[in-house]
Every structure is written in C-alpha cells, then in structure tokens.
Amino acid sequence: MSGSGIPTWEEVARDHGRFLYTVAYRLTGNSDDAQDLVQEVLLKVRRGLETYVPGSLEGWLSRITTNTFLDDTRRQRRRPVDLLPEDPDRVVPPSPGADVALAAEALPDHIQDALRALPTEYRAAIIMCDVVGLSYQEIGDALDVPVGTVRSRIHRGRALLRKALA
Amino acid sequence: MSRFGTDGGFAGHLGDALSALLDGELPAAQAEGARDHLAVCPDCTRELAAVDQARTWVRTLPPVDPPFGFYERMLLDRQPVLRGALGDRATLRRRAGVAAFGAAAAAVTVLGIGSPSPRPVSPSVPRLVEAHATSASVGADLLSKLAPVGVPVSFGR
C-alpha cells in the first residue's frame, strides 16, 4: 500500500481478489458471471481509487460490487428476450472448466442455488449482511434504501431460504 | 412487520425484528421486549430458529477462489478486460488460452534466464502472446487453443 493509505489497483486485485470474487460469486451464482462482474468492478475501482477515502476497503469494494450487480440485473430486465439465440453457447451450454467443476464439488451447492433463486434485492441485502458483514445502516446507505427496508429484505430473504432448504 | 412501542413493548408477532435481533440491530429496549415476547410465543420462537438456521447457512459458506490465473491475466494486461469493449462473457474464456500460453512463455523466459548463454528468440514472447490472443478460438479446451498458433519461431544461435 502506498504512503497515502490508498491502495494501488494491483494491491486491490492481489490482496482482496478472493474476497471480491467470493462476493461476486455469491451474488451471481456462477463462475462466468462472477468473473464478468469482478472485471467490471475492478474497472470502476481503478477509476474510483483517486477518490477513495481510506477506511474499510472491503466494505467499499462490496458496495461497488453489489450496486454493479443490481444495475446489471435491472438492465437485463429491461432488455427484450431473444427468441432465437444466435450464439450456440446459449443453446448448448459449454461444459464447465476444471476450476468450475472443482468449485461445484467443494461448495454446498444447494445453499448457493437457494440464494440464487431469491429476488435480487433480498439476495443483495443478505450477502452484504451475512457474507460481507456490513451493518443495516451501511447496507441501507449502499443501496440507498431505509434501514427498515434492509431489515425487511434480510428477514424475508432468510425466511425464503429456510423454506427452500427445509 | 413488527410494531414496537416507545417502551420496547409491541403488538403482534416479532416479524423482521427477529432477524434484527439475531444481527444485534435492535435497540436495547426493543431487544429486551423481543426476548420477553419469545419466552411466551411459540410461533415467534419457531420463526427465530428458522431464520437463524438460514443465517448460519449463508454465514458458513466458504470463500470461493477465482479460476486459476484470473487476476494474473488482468495484472499481465495491466488493465481489466472490458466486457463492453471486447465483447461479452466469452471474453474471459477466450483469454484463458492467452493465460495458459503466457504461463508457458513465462516458464520459457525463466529457463532462458537461468541458462549460461541466453539466446535471442524470434519473434519476441510478447509478440507470440499477442498473436495467440487473436487466433485462439472460443469454447475449445486449452490445449487445442494452442494448436492453431501459426507464428514461425526460430531460436538463434
């Protein structure tokens, strides 16, 4: 880290890469989308480092990651669905790489699947709370919603998770 | 939705205050009122156990490692690959071949440095990497991606 307390882009990728990828994977639920999300986030991080105020770097990273994910999700909702996909990958998905296969074998997939099935707003609030460890106030600030809304989303999300995995 | 009064007491069931209680997000008076209610309400006690279970499941999920070489590829490039600029999610899969080739090229470089009489390589390693990046196909395995590289290589003596 430089003397100013502001990390370089390389330090963010090296020292917080695993954390960043974990948050992205939990939000998106699959390796391809997680990689895309991390790349998008790192681009924003690179642009935003000049204005970064030293503090909780992982909190800052998780806020960027979650908001980028939610923006992407909203954008996709607005995009019309292709009736006839031209990309063969979308008809016959490619077989997963060795890293994906290993991750799937090592992780409790049923929990990840249930997380992915949650409404995105619930999922984002739960991950910011239970994976990142942010307070309700910090989550509310990051998502620009009242604390009461955060509390409601977290509770409803947990209730849905419990029902899905019962 | 729970309905706490100013004294921490409330009407009805605890609802989302249960998650707030688990997360330490209730003010002290409300937390005390919630515990009093739990002592006499089996419905809220069951719901508390259910959301606590879900909370524990998520909190105990292990960290996830990115694919091998993911960040190294970006550091090698010195800039993140832009999804918008280079296409779509296939970008990373396409560049996986570059990473594998880059690792091989790095190994060759290290071996070259360690030998007693380094020899010039033509074309240069960066050029080889760049050439492969433009020729690697999408969707094939890593080894087959290396095959189509048609750059003549010579090791000068």
Side-chain angles (χ1 to χ4, degrees):
Chain A
M1 192 166 302
S2 63
S4 63
I6 299 177
T8 64
W9 181 86
E10 287 83 358
E11 285 170 338
V12 171
R14 188 187 62 224
D15 300 340
H16 303 276
R18 193 186 198 203
F19 166 81
L20 192 52
Y21 187 79
T22 296
V23 174
Y25 187 90
R26 295 294 171 224
L27 285 167
T28 61
N30 69 79
S31 181
D32 283 347
D33 288 342
Q35 289 176 54
D36 285 346
L37 179 56
V38 168
Q39 287 185 88
E40 204 173 338
V41 168
L42 281 177
L43 183 65
K44 290 183 178 179
V45 165
R46 198 172 197 191
R47 288 177 185 152
L49 274 175
E50 289 175 9
T51 57
Y52 168 71
V53 178
S56 169
L57 184 60
E58 294 197 340
W60 183 65
L61 290 173
S62 69
R63 285 195 292 277
I64 296 175
T65 307
T66 307
N67 281 314
T68 303
F69 166 74
L70 290 173
D71 287 346
D72 286 350
T73 304
R74 290 178 194 125
R75 203 175 303 126
Q76 283 165 11
R77 280 185 195 150
R78 288 196 295 268
R79 192 180 302 157
V81 177
D82 297 339
L83 294 178
L84 294 172
E86 294 177 0
D87 182 356
D89 277 0
R90 295 179 62 181
V91 179
V92 181
S95 58
D99 52 281
V100 177
L102 279 173
E105 194 175 297
L107 294 175
D109 280 350
H110 56 297
I111 300 174
Q112 179 62 55
D113 290 346
L115 258 180
R116 195 182 183 191
L118 292 179
T120 50
E121 284 79 7
Y122 292 3
R123 195 188 327 160
I126 283 182
I127 288 169
M128 292 182 96
C129 177
D130 292 331
V131 175
V132 181
L134 297 183
S135 70
Y136 286 11
Q137 184 65 57
E138 288 171 321
I139 298 170
D141 291 345
L143 301 180
D144 200 22
V145 295
V147 169
T149 303
V150 173
R151 184 165 115 169
S152 172
R153 287 179 182 178
I154 288 173
H155 186 70
R156 290 181 188 180
R158 284 173 179 164
L160 287 173
L161 266 183
R162 181 65 178 81
K163 194 174 174 185
L165 295 167
Chain B
M1 176 66 71
S2 57
R3 293 180 294 277
F4 284 94
T6 52
D7 60 350
F10 59 93
H13 291 297
L14 290 169
D16 58 22
L18 290 169
S19 281
L21 179 67
L22 288 169
D23 293 329
E25 292 277 353
L26 279 186
Q30 292 186 6
E32 191 179 333
R35 288 191 196 96
D36 289 345
H37 177 79
L38 284 167
V40 296
C41 180
D43 286 345
C44 284
T45 302
R46 272 193 297 275
E47 189 177 348
L48 179 70
V51 291
D52 190 22
Q53 177 68 79
R55 178 177 181 268
T56 302
W57 279 331
V58 178
R59 287 183 176 232
T60 53
L61 282 171
V64 189
D65 284 317
F68 178 76
F70 176 63
Y71 288 108
E72 288 76 3
R73 282 198 295 281
M74 284 190 274
L75 290 171
L76 186 71
D77 288 349
R78 300 287 295 173
Q79 62 177 10
V81 177
L82 307 185
R83 176 169 41 182
L86 293 180
D88 54 15
R89 67 184 53 178
T91 300
L92 270 167
R93 293 192 284 281
R94 183 160 54 243
R95 297 185 73 83
V98 180
F101 190 84
V108 167
T109 305
V110 169
L111 287 173
I113 290 170
S115 65
S117 56
R119 295 167 182 158
V121 179
S122 177
S124 65
V125 168
R127 192 184 148 210
L128 277 172
V129 172
E130 186 182 351
H132 180 73
T134 58
S135 62
S137 60
V138 180
D141 61 84
L142 293 181
L143 288 178
S144 63
K145 282 178 182 173
L146 294 174
V149 179
V151 181
V153 180
S154 65
F155 294 88
R157 287 182 174 276

